[in-house]
Amino acid sequence: MKIAIVGSPNVGKSVMFNRLTGSYVTVSNYPGTTVEVSRGRAKIGGWEFEVFDTPGMYSLLPITEEERVARSLLFQEKPDVVIHIIDAKNIERMLPLTLQLIEAKLPVILVLNIIDEAEKIGMRISLEYLSRELKVPVAATVSTTGRGIDILRGRIEEYVRAGIRQ
Ligand SMILES: Nc1nc2c(ncn2[C@@H]2O[C@H](COP(=O)(O)OP(=O)(O)O)[C@@H](O)[C@H]2O)c(=O)[nH]1
Ligand SMILES: [Mg+2]
């Protein structure tokens, strides 16, 4: 099974990738481009996943080469789980991509990363409300310290289990 990590630049995708995967990370250019894609392995809920870190994207309608590669990875690799990482303190600016991913029928889990800085400026975000409205699993994390990562692993496990049961 495969997990894709997507989101805008500088939201913590690569730090999260490193937390979820162990050693044995490979970095290669996406075919025909100079854009690098990291691939690694993660063991979650007894399953082994191939995880890939995608280049930053602002929209599913690609403008830059990075966005084209991120889009191709999503539609060609057909990941079982798409982790959309956003910067929690810029949630309004970042949710449009979540909606695009959901509308494209991708198996999205929304991750509000950098929740530490959001809290520091007094933001309070209801994960339950977001999850109910968007109808996707939601987790809050601080990828640099590891806060919330076990909960995210749990969300991934539940998601995959629910998919297998269908
Ligand atoms: N405060 C805080 N900083 C973070 C968090 N996650 C990542 N960062 C920082 O954000 C920057 C971008 O992280 P990176 O993983 O390279 O982002 P990417 O461009 O999405 O791959 C780095 O300086 C990280 O240390 C977080 O949860 N909290
Ligand atoms: Mg990165």
Side-chain angles (χ1 to χ4, degrees):
M1 286 189 287
K2 296 180 189 175
I3 297 175
I5 298 178
V6 303
S8 329
N10 280 315
V11 295
K13 293 184 301 300
S14 297
V15 179
M16 185 67 79
F17 171 83
N18 289 323
R19 284 236 166 238
L20 290 177
T21 60
S23 33
Y24 307 118
V25 170
T26 62
V27 181
S28 59
N29 281 355
Y30 192 74
T33 72
T34 55
V35 179
E36 288 186 333
V37 178
S38 305
R39 294 169 191 273
R41 302 205 155 264
K43 207 157 183 204
I44 299 169
W47 299 293
E48 176 118 356
F49 291 89
E50 184 191 13
V51 185
F52 42 94
D53 187 15
T54 67
M57 70 191 308
Y58 291 104
S59 160
L60 266 187
L61 299 171
I63 295 170
T64 63
E65 188 178 39
E66 281 77 12
E67 287 178 314
R68 240 182 333 267
V69 168
R71 187 192 158 90
S72 299
L73 278 166
L74 280 179
F75 291 106
Q76 284 168 17
E77 299 263 350
K78 299 194 181 9
D80 302 274
V81 180
V82 173
I83 300 183
H84 181 208
I85 303 195
I86 69 172
D87 172 353
K89 58 183 191 308
N90 291 310
I91 184 166
E92 294 96 337
R93 198 141 45 79
M94 305 219 158
L95 283 182
L97 179 56
T98 317
L99 294 177
Q100 287 181 13
L101 297 168
I102 293 169
E103 276 166 15
K105 301 214 173 351
L106 291 163
V108 178
I109 294 179
L110 175 62
V111 173
L112 309 185
N113 192 42
I114 319 189
I115 198 76
D116 54 334
E117 290 186 2
E119 287 170 349
K120 227 180 272 168
I121 57 171
M123 291 177 72
R124 292 289 174 272
I125 302 170
S126 167
L127 307 187
E128 293 73 22
Y129 176 81
L130 267 180
S131 181
R132 203 164 54 235
E133 290 293 311
L134 296 173
K135 299 183 179 65
V136 300
V138 178
T141 59
V142 180
S143 59
T144 41
T145 66
R147 181 181 147 197
I149 306 288
D150 280 342
I151 293 172
L152 172 59
R153 285 200 189 88
R155 294 273 181 277
I156 295 169
E157 186 180 345
E158 286 163 16
Y159 202 52
V160 170
R161 259 185 221 293
I164 289 169
R165 240 186 282 118
Q166 274 167 18

